[in-house]
Amino acid sequence: VDAAGIEKMRELGVDVTEATAGDRAGGTVEVEAVLSETQAAKLRDAGVDLEVKQVDGVDASEALEAQAAQGWEPFRSYSEPGGIRDEILATAAANEALTEVVDIGGTVGGQDILAVRVTADADATPDGSRPAVLYASAQHAREWITPEMTRRLMHYVLDNYGSDAEITELVDSTELWFLPVANPDGYDFTFTEGNRLWRKNLRDNNADGEITVGDGVDLNRNFAVKWGYDNEGSSPDPASDTYRGSAPNS
């Protein structure tokens, strides 16, 4: 694609942060992107030349489906019975002396965003009285491996407290915050048919009552610091054709 093609991809919501064509031979660059069929069709209609990636002689999507059919299925949504939210509550209930469940805010869909604060004598120790670190996952809804990493680390710390000297010292002297799913609405949405690759939250930007390609806010790129610094991943301004930064849950 050339610079115009990159811009067309960006307008469609494709992550092309590091793609530039101006300094390449002929003013073009090869870009690899994960697209839905609808996105691919729109880009082709806009004149972007696309070719399906091949893996071992078959389409990449077919190779991934075959791999998934043979593989491991640990992933769960946030709000389903027995999902991540239920695990957070159950884990804290089983480790009352070391944990505190903290509701850090609400989603646009009305869900609580729950974190677990792990520290010795959690109930009696004021938040912020010890040095703290945060392990946060799934700001980008489709990155399923990250909640799995964070929840496993949480269990590792809790399971080894009292038997592992280093872990015990860490929990006694610091606060470890575990936020397995920072974007519950978007994360749940990726478990619905046809929406596995959704990245943002579920803000209905154009207020049409539907969640489509132009909706959502990228929670990983819309912090107050350098807000509006560039247009990558920002939600569209319904009043114009331009993109601008937006506050996470506004």
Side-chain angles (χ1 to χ4, degrees), residues 17-35:
T17 307
E18 298 179 4
T20 57
D23 58 349
R24 303 299 180 94
T28 63
V29 62
E30 183 174 304
V31 177
E32 184 172 300
V34 180
L35 305 171

Side-chain angles (χ1 to χ4, degrees), residues 156-196:
Y156 180 82
V157 168
L158 292 171
D159 292 347
N160 285 281
Y161 181 79
S163 59
D164 182 293
E166 187 173 9
I167 293 294
T168 303
E169 171 61 21
L170 191 66
V171 174
D172 285 346
S173 60
T174 69
E175 295 181 0
L176 306 175
W177 286 76
F178 297 96
L179 177 60
V181 180
N183 179 8
D185 291 347
Y187 182 68
D188 281 351
F189 194 55
T190 64
F191 285 82
T192 61
E193 184 66 29
N195 298 306
R196 175 63 185 89

Side-chain angles (χ1 to χ4, degrees), residues 69-126:
Q70 299 172 19
W72 172 60
E73 298 182 357
F75 302 113
R76 296 162 291 152
S77 68
Y78 183 77
S79 60
E80 67 180 273
I84 301 297
R85 183 181 185 278
D86 284 354
E87 181 174 355
I88 287 172
L89 297 173
T91 300
N95 297 273
E96 291 184 351
L98 301 177
T99 63
E100 176 189 8
V101 175
V102 181
D103 182 349
I104 67 168
T107 70
V108 293
Q111 296 199 75
D112 295 328
I113 307 173
L114 300 182
V116 181
R117 183 173 73 107
V118 176
T119 195
D121 300 315
D123 287 344
T125 304

Side-chain angles (χ1 to χ4, degrees), residues 1-11 14-24 27-33 48 221 230-232:
V1 293
D2 57 13
I6 291 173
E7 187 59 32
K8 290 173 184 176
M9 297 179 76
R10 180 179 290 115
E11 290 172 358
V14 177
D15 188 353
V16 288
T17 307
E18 298 179 4
T20 57
D23 58 349
R24 303 299 180 94
T28 63
V29 62
E30 183 174 304
V31 177
E32 184 172 300
V48 177
R221 298 180 183 172
D230 63 24
N231 293 326
E232 293 296 337

Side-chain angles (χ1 to χ4, degrees), residues 32-35 52-73 75 142 144 196-197:
E32 184 172 300
V34 180
L35 305 171
V52 176
K53 181 178 179 178
Q54 299 291 298
V55 176
D56 296 330
V58 299
D59 290 353
S61 57
E62 292 182 26
L64 290 172
E65 287 174 2
Q67 184 183 60
Q70 299 172 19
W72 172 60
E73 298 182 357
F75 302 113
R142 65 192 180 201
W144 286 3
R196 175 63 185 89
L197 299 179

